[in-house]
Amino acid sequence: MRSVFSPLSAALAFLLFVGAVSADSPYQFFTWNVTYGTIYPLGVPQMGILINGQFPGPDIHSVTNGNLIIDVINSLDEPFLISWNGVQQRRNSYEDGVFGTTCPIPPGQNFTYILQVKDQIGSFFYFPSLAMHKASGGFGGIRIFSRPLIPVPFDDPAGDYTVLIGDWYKANHTALKAVLDGGNMLPFPDGILINGRAGGSTFNIQQGKTYRLRISNVGLVNSLNFRIQGHTMVLVEVEGTHTLQTTYSSLDVHVGQSYSVLVTADQPALDYTIVVNSRFTSPVLASTGILRYSNSAGAAPGPLPGGPTVQVDWSLNQARSIRTNLTASGPRPNPQGSYHYGLINTTRTIRLANSAGLVNGKQRYAVNSVSFVAPDTPMKVADYFKINGVFRVGSIQDYPTGGDIYLDTSVMGADYRTFIEIVFENSENIIQSWHLDGYSFFVVGMDGGQWSPASRNGYNLRDAVSRSTTQVYPNSWTAIYIPLDNVGMWNLRSEYWARQYLGQQLYMRVYTTSTSLRDEYPVPKNAILCGRASGRRTRPL
């Protein structure tokens, strides 16, 4: 039976208890019915996951500090959760929608997410976080616009498009999960989609006008390169940070990442081909779309635009060129450069090394030799109710141990309001992509070889881009700085989804002894309780 706790009552409970939203803050209400449906993205029928009958799912358009009340009805035959890639869930990790924080929505029931996009702007996406659901759909774009009167460092575009790109399998999520549960690796993907189609996605434009494309890689494995025949792209925003407005002929978008570019219709009125291809793979997968002028005379002549395929140095140099626009306002009127992160001393260095291997004869993936296994109760819920034995803070070390892979529920403790350094070390011949929920971090350095303290001499301590997902190139390292200003239980994961599923993730418990609502909200009144928390009461209104 469906829960009778409605979106409206959820919103009222939130307002009455927390009192955290001002009278002029907007509210948006959504009802999403999640179902199976037959889709044909690669020309063959397969079972997809639809939201209100749509694949991909509907876009969310919000404004800084806006409140999103999203009632998700699970009409599947299995538990389901949605997570919000890049939305920071300030003081409210219960709403993050990953298993470490949120009990899954049982089949035939609903859960109302209550989100505030506090102090954020930019381009993000949502996706289903459990099992391999992401391989069947359930994802969509998120746009957070600046508030009125907050300056934006470019003119309003004539149009604004969500562009969801990603690799895709013809097999559905249940078949892929069975492969992984059997202890095997996934095969190479079958194709690449642009907005749910392997070819033919069309973006209509008018000559002489400028358009914004919000490009997100919602795929499972591969970094992708994006380019448009006869056109350049001006990068303006990366995961909530306005960037220096650098012009690119093509752009590498790694798994889980989001970019905003401006494209000006300054060519003869024709149909121009959009090309997306896989990076660092053999063979190279590719897909195409169409940039169509309103008075198009037909297809543009000439070859399709070429792009990089296996060149790591090309991608590394491009990544280093992406920097913060220090004079632009972010979600607040003050310039983004007013936060001088490079002048703050770090209090802790954490080195995280990814690895792959067998455990009990089955394929697993690990961080610092620990391969994550989910407990029977979300850690954040167990933390709130003080349920012992669910997890242990400190179950993963701050540095690589070099030992064999073993299974554990890896939770790393961290103190609220500290400023830390994390170094991702990748000694494998793959490209990694790491995402941290609840935060944006400064990508201060990346290079080939082994990281050492001397590597800090090359850090960018002035205008490094602040984002929530960063790549680590093969046999390379990437360093980030993070101000830990958001209390909660936050998922740090590989966006290489099979690796995440088989253990390449951990949780960071950012903790304070304070019980003030200024630091963290309590468990939601409408929270689903599962595992060892079943039968308990959330809290009085």
Side-chain angles (χ1 to χ4, degrees):
M1 179 180 295
R2 280 189 56 201
S3 164
V4 295
F5 194 88
S6 71
L8 181 58
S9 59
L12 290 173
F14 179 73
L15 278 172
L16 291 171
F17 190 89
V18 178
V21 182
S22 62
D24 60 350
S25 295
Y27 280 81
Q28 295 171 268
F29 293 84
F30 304 85
T31 299
W32 286 358
N33 187 24
V34 181
T35 62
Y36 298 123
T38 302
I39 56 176
Y40 300 81
L42 294 179
V44 296
Q46 62 185 112
M47 182 177 69
I49 293 178
L50 314 181
I51 297 178
N52 292 348
Q54 299 179 45
F55 170 76
D59 273 4
I60 293 175
H61 296 181
S62 187
V63 177
T64 300
N65 297 340
N67 300 279
L68 308 175
I69 316 300
I70 306 173
D71 186 28
V72 177
I73 303 164
N74 180 12
S75 296
L76 309 181
D77 59 5
E78 54 191 320
F80 186 79
L81 279 176
I82 291 179
S83 191
W84 320 90
N85 217 64
V87 177
Q88 293 176 7
Q89 314 291 357
R90 306 295 299 179
R91 299 178 282 175
N92 202 14
S93 62
Y94 296 102
E95 302 283 359
D96 200 33
V98 290
F99 183 78
T101 63
T102 313
C103 286
I105 308 170
Q109 296 189 27
N110 72 321
F111 175 69
T112 302
Y113 289 91
I114 305 171
L115 316 177
Q116 186 184 26
V117 290
K118 177 69 174 172
D119 289 337
Q120 287 193 266
I121 58 165
S123 309
F124 310 97
F125 65 91
Y126 62 86
F127 69 97
S129 63
L130 296 183
M132 291 296 290
H133 290 162
K134 189 181 179 185
S136 288
F139 46 73
I142 301 174
R143 307 178 191 178
I144 307 175
F145 297 97
S146 296
R147 289 174 290 172
L149 304 181
I150 301 295
V152 175
F154 50 89
D155 293 336
D156 287 343
D160 196 331
Y161 285 108
T162 293
V163 186
L164 304 177
I165 60 177
D167 48 18
W168 193 259
Y169 289 90
K170 293 178 180 177
N172 65 32
H173 68 277
T174 56
L176 297 177
K177 180 177 179 293
V179 171
L180 296 174
D181 289 344
N184 302 300
M185 298 184 191
L186 290 184
F188 192 67
D190 296 305
I192 292 174
L193 305 187
I194 303 174
N195 285 353
R197 302 177 65 179
S201 290
T202 301
F203 305 89
N204 295 310
I205 60 175
Q206 293 184 30
Q207 200 165 31
K209 295 185 177 181
T210 297
Y211 295 81
R212 184 174 185 172
L213 305 183
R214 300 173 187 258
I215 309 164
S216 294
N217 185 338
V218 298
L220 301 174
V221 182
N222 289 304
S223 302
L224 302 174
N225 183 266
F226 183 93
R227 55 197 183 272
I228 304 173
Q229 181 184 19
H231 295 73
T232 57
M233 301 172 287
V234 178
L235 183 66
V236 293
E237 177 257 329
V238 173
E239 296 165 19
T241 297
H242 287 133
T243 61
L244 292 179
Q245 295 184 12
T246 305
T247 299
Y248 298 101
S249 58
S250 71
L251 189 64
D252 275 355
V253 186
H254 305 280
V255 184
Q257 293 186 340
S258 297
Y259 292 87
S260 274
V261 298
L262 298 179
V263 177
T264 299
D266 56 3
Q267 299 298 306
L270 297 167
D271 290 353
Y272 294 88
T273 302
I274 297 169
V275 180
V276 180
N277 70 261
S278 60
R279 293 284 271 120
F280 321 111
T281 66
S282 180
V284 175
L285 294 174
S287 183
T288 60
I290 301 170
L291 189 72
R292 173 165 292 157
Y293 281 64
S294 59
N295 52 341
S296 173
L304 297 184
T309 53
V310 297
Q311 302 90 334
V312 171
D313 287 347
W314 185 96
S315 188
L316 175 61
N317 290 332
Q318 183 178 83
R320 288 171 170 167
S321 72
I322 298 172
R323 303 197 171 203
T324 295
N325 184 338
L326 297 178
T327 61
S329 296
R332 298 181 178 181
N334 53 299
Q336 294 179 138
S338 60
Y339 184 78
H340 301 287
Y341 69 92
L343 300 179
I344 305 172
N345 293 324
T346 57
T347 58
R348 180 181 177 187
T349 295
I350 299 168
R351 295 168 47 218
L352 300 177
N354 51 269
S355 59
L358 299 180
V359 177
N360 300 324
K362 291 189 174 184
Q363 182 67 48
R364 295 293 298 187
Y365 300 97
V367 185
N368 288 359
S369 299
V370 185
S371 185
F372 180 86
V373 289
D376 58 9
T377 308
M379 291 89 75
K380 187 60 189 172
V381 174
D383 216 8
Y384 178 80
F385 288 110
K386 296 180 171 55
I387 302 172
N388 295 323
V390 174
F391 69 94
R392 178 175 59 87
V393 177
S395 49
I396 182 171
Q397 298 294 315
D398 281 16
Y399 50 85
T401 63
D404 292 337
I405 294 176
Y406 63 95
L407 306 179
D408 204 346
T409 302
S410 37
V411 177
M412 180 176 287
D415 293 329
Y416 180 45
R417 290 181 175 164
T418 56
F419 191 78
I420 68 171
E421 172 188 40
I422 294 181
V423 181
F424 298 106
E425 300 179 359
N426 179 18
S427 62
E428 299 183 76
N429 291 319
I430 62 157
I431 187 165
Q432 265 286 9
S433 188
W434 289 99
H435 176 86
L436 176 60
D437 285 349
Y439 285 94
S440 285
F441 46 71
F442 297 95
V443 184
V444 294
M446 57 177 64
D447 207 348
Q450 180 67 42
W451 180 89
S452 72
S455 302
R456 297 187 179 113
N457 295 330
Y459 281 6
N460 177 1
L461 299 181
R462 183 175 180 270
D463 60 355
V465 70
S466 178
R467 63 187 312 168
S468 58
T469 309
T470 187
Q471 71 272 29
V472 190
Y473 292 99
N475 300 297
S476 299
W477 57 268
T478 294
I480 64 174
Y481 280 177
I482 315 174
L484 295 180
D485 58 358
N486 196 12
V487 176
M489 186 79 69
W490 303 111
N491 189 215
L492 176 58
R493 63 179 176 266
S494 172
E495 290 283 356
Y496 191 142
W497 211 243
R499 286 178 167 251
Q500 178 274 153
Y501 178 72
L502 292 180
Q504 206 152 74
Q505 60 173 308
L506 60 101
Y507 282 79
M508 182 172 288
R509 180 181 183 251
V510 180
Y511 180 74
T512 178
T513 57
S514 168
T515 58
S516 170
L517 295 179
R518 291 175 299 179
D519 296 323
E520 186 178 25
Y521 298 152
V523 64
K525 174 69 177 175
N526 66 324
I528 298 171
L529 299 180
C530 58
R532 292 184 231 180
S534 296
R536 296 178 183 247
R537 297 179 65 86
T538 52
R539 54 182 171 82
L541 180 59

